[in-house]
Amino acid sequence: MIWLIAALALAQGMLGVRVVMRMAVSGRDSPITRSDQPSDATITLVVPVLNEEARLPSCLDGAIAQPGEVRQILVVDGGSTDGTRAVTRAYGERDRRVQLVDASPVPANAAGKAWGLIVGLRAATADWLLVVDADARLDPALARSLLAHAQTRDVAVFSVATLQNIEGALQGLVHPALLATLVYRFGRPGGATANPSRVQANGQCFMAQRAVLTDTGAFEAARGSLCEDVTVARHLARHGVRVGFYESDAPVRVSMYANAGDAWRNWTRSLPMRDHHFGPLEVLGLGEIVLVQALPLPLLAVSAMVGAPAWFLAIQAALAATRIGVLFGMSRAYPVRPWTYWLSPVSDLAVAWRLIQRTLQRRHRWRGRTYLRQPDGRFRLELDGGER
């Protein structure tokens, strides 16, 4: 029994050192600073949508508030059956930059959002492409701030660490535990890398030079991915492109999910980041979630009760303290925090189990469509019990 405890502690210690070192060296670059400095560069803003009638107006309010550097605002629709297209046309009457782009039907070998990105890029004419989700609320200074940051940091592709709105006390237990899995695997926002296993990306607010996306075929490479933002970033990194991830003083706020159940069902679909680039290092990252994030707090409690060796207790205490530090560090991502936010580490074990389950799962359902993972890691649409 003591050998099993020792092996577990050794694995935790080795992975814990990796995680702590990653957190220590990441996040050193400054955030995107707020800027109202005009730029000669131009932006096409792309909003991929499917049945977003309720959330789209707030997004487009922020989009049309952007200055003239934003030349196009493309709402790329993948086949909405609600009033999404009517909303888009109404905003087009207010601002000529707003255009509806029909991306339906989605091909069988493409995920819905990934296909929307491909179609949006084809219709774009500006120097830069800025992709935002329909639930994003954009600061009026966002476009100029992003352009200034790109020039200052000499980075051609980067994402914004968006601020998160939590809907209800129960989601306060789940959402932060899910977000923490990203911090453990990739570190803090604030920097750029061309290491495919270390790149971070956030499709809620993603900025890239149009020529870089076109030349590398980055969106096409993510056609069959259910975590298209990460797949794009990994593909670009494999082509030697530095991909950045930053916090921002010109914030973007998002309300990702309606409730805790929605987050549990849907965010865990993409968080494992299971795509055709998924390999041993990504598996190791899941191990870090289990052994370094999820297990220390319950093991500390159980070990104290059963009288485990002092050295084992010390390791669990150190890792648990790291988890509490991550909780405090992440708090700035949540402008309004329910009291349950501070209890969210109790969800870590369930979250770790869920991510492993979803990593192994071949069939996924998203936005009314069922996708089946192929042997090469890409997904295809499944229709009426069979592939199409």
Side-chain angles (χ1 to χ4, degrees), residues 6 29 163 172 216 259 274 344:
D29 209 345
L163 300 180
T216 60
N259 51 53
R274 182 71 187 267
S344 59

PDB file of all heavy atoms in Angstrom, residues 6 29 163 172 216 259 274 344:
ATOM      1  N   ALA A   6       3.249   6.088  -2.548  1.00  0.00           N
ATOM      2  CA  ALA A   6       4.480   6.749  -2.987  1.00  0.00           C
ATOM      3  C   ALA A   6       4.464   7.017  -4.486  1.00  0.00           C
ATOM      4  O   ALA A   6       4.893   8.085  -4.950  1.00  0.00           O
ATOM      5  CB  ALA A   6       5.684   5.891  -2.615  1.00  0.00           C
ATOM      6  N   ASP A  29       3.631  38.857 -20.403  1.00  0.00           N
ATOM      7  CA  ASP A  29       3.423  39.961 -21.326  1.00  0.00           C
ATOM      8  C   ASP A  29       2.261  40.822 -20.845  1.00  0.00           C
ATOM      9  O   ASP A  29       1.323  40.331 -20.219  1.00  0.00           O
ATOM     10  CB  ASP A  29       3.137  39.442 -22.729  1.00  0.00           C
ATOM     11  CG  ASP A  29       3.590  40.413 -23.807  1.00  0.00           C
ATOM     12  OD1 ASP A  29       3.853  41.580 -23.468  1.00  0.00           O
ATOM     13  OD2 ASP A  29       3.674  40.004 -24.974  1.00  0.00           O
ATOM     14  N   LEU A 163     -14.031  38.293 -20.450  1.00  0.00           N
ATOM     15  CA  LEU A 163     -14.658  38.267 -19.136  1.00  0.00           C
ATOM     16  C   LEU A 163     -15.898  37.386 -19.198  1.00  0.00           C
ATOM     17  O   LEU A 163     -16.625  37.389 -20.194  1.00  0.00           O
ATOM     18  CB  LEU A 163     -15.031  39.684 -18.702  1.00  0.00           C
ATOM     19  CG  LEU A 163     -13.868  40.684 -18.581  1.00  0.00           C
ATOM     20  CD1 LEU A 163     -14.387  42.055 -18.154  1.00  0.00           C
ATOM     21  CD2 LEU A 163     -12.821  40.179 -17.601  1.00  0.00           C
ATOM     22  N   GLY A 172     -21.946  28.900 -10.783  1.00  0.00           N
ATOM     23  CA  GLY A 172     -20.772  29.377 -10.059  1.00  0.00           C
ATOM     24  C   GLY A 172     -19.911  28.258  -9.511  1.00  0.00           C
ATOM     25  O   GLY A 172     -18.710  28.445  -9.271  1.00  0.00           O
ATOM     26  N   THR A 216      -1.931  29.836 -44.899  1.00  0.00           N
ATOM     27  CA  THR A 216      -1.709  28.587 -44.158  1.00  0.00           C
ATOM     28  C   THR A 216      -2.893  27.636 -44.241  1.00  0.00           C
ATOM     29  O   THR A 216      -2.776  26.473 -43.824  1.00  0.00           O
ATOM     30  CB  THR A 216      -1.433  28.878 -42.676  1.00  0.00           C
ATOM     31  OG1 THR A 216      -2.563  29.569 -42.112  1.00  0.00           O
ATOM     32  CG2 THR A 216      -0.174  29.727 -42.505  1.00  0.00           C
ATOM     33  N   ASN A 259     -27.017  28.112 -18.082  1.00  0.00           N
ATOM     34  CA  ASN A 259     -27.052  27.585 -16.723  1.00  0.00           C
ATOM     35  C   ASN A 259     -25.941  26.556 -16.558  1.00  0.00           C
ATOM     36  O   ASN A 259     -25.185  26.276 -17.503  1.00  0.00           O
ATOM     37  CB  ASN A 259     -28.425  26.982 -16.410  1.00  0.00           C
ATOM     38  CG  ASN A 259     -28.872  25.989 -17.483  1.00  0.00           C
ATOM     39  OD1 ASN A 259     -28.135  25.057 -17.822  1.00  0.00           O
ATOM     40  ND2 ASN A 259     -30.059  26.204 -18.034  1.00  0.00           N
ATOM     41  N   ARG A 274      -9.928  17.517 -28.260  1.00  0.00           N
ATOM     42  CA  ARG A 274      -9.635  16.285 -28.995  1.00  0.00           C
ATOM     43  C   ARG A 274      -9.793  16.552 -30.485  1.00  0.00           C
ATOM     44  O   ARG A 274     -10.913  16.595 -31.011  1.00  0.00           O
ATOM     45  CB  ARG A 274     -10.585  15.175 -28.540  1.00  0.00           C
ATOM     46  CG  ARG A 274     -10.352  13.811 -29.212  1.00  0.00           C
ATOM     47  CD  ARG A 274      -9.072  13.174 -28.718  1.00  0.00           C
ATOM     48  NE  ARG A 274      -8.758  11.964 -29.473  1.00  0.00           N
ATOM     49  CZ  ARG A 274      -9.123  10.738 -29.100  1.00  0.00           C
ATOM     50  NH1 ARG A 274      -9.838  10.561 -27.992  1.00  0.00           N
ATOM     51  NH2 ARG A 274      -8.783   9.697 -29.817  1.00  0.00           N
ATOM     52  N   SER A 344     -16.015  26.462  -5.867  1.00  0.00           N
ATOM     53  CA  SER A 344     -15.949  25.711  -7.124  1.00  0.00           C
ATOM     54  C   SER A 344     -14.889  24.610  -7.150  1.00  0.00           C
ATOM     55  O   SER A 344     -15.065  23.623  -7.890  1.00  0.00           O
ATOM     56  CB  SER A 344     -15.744  26.667  -8.311  1.00  0.00           C
ATOM     57  OG  SER A 344     -14.551  27.412  -8.176  1.00  0.00           O
TER      58      SER A 344
END
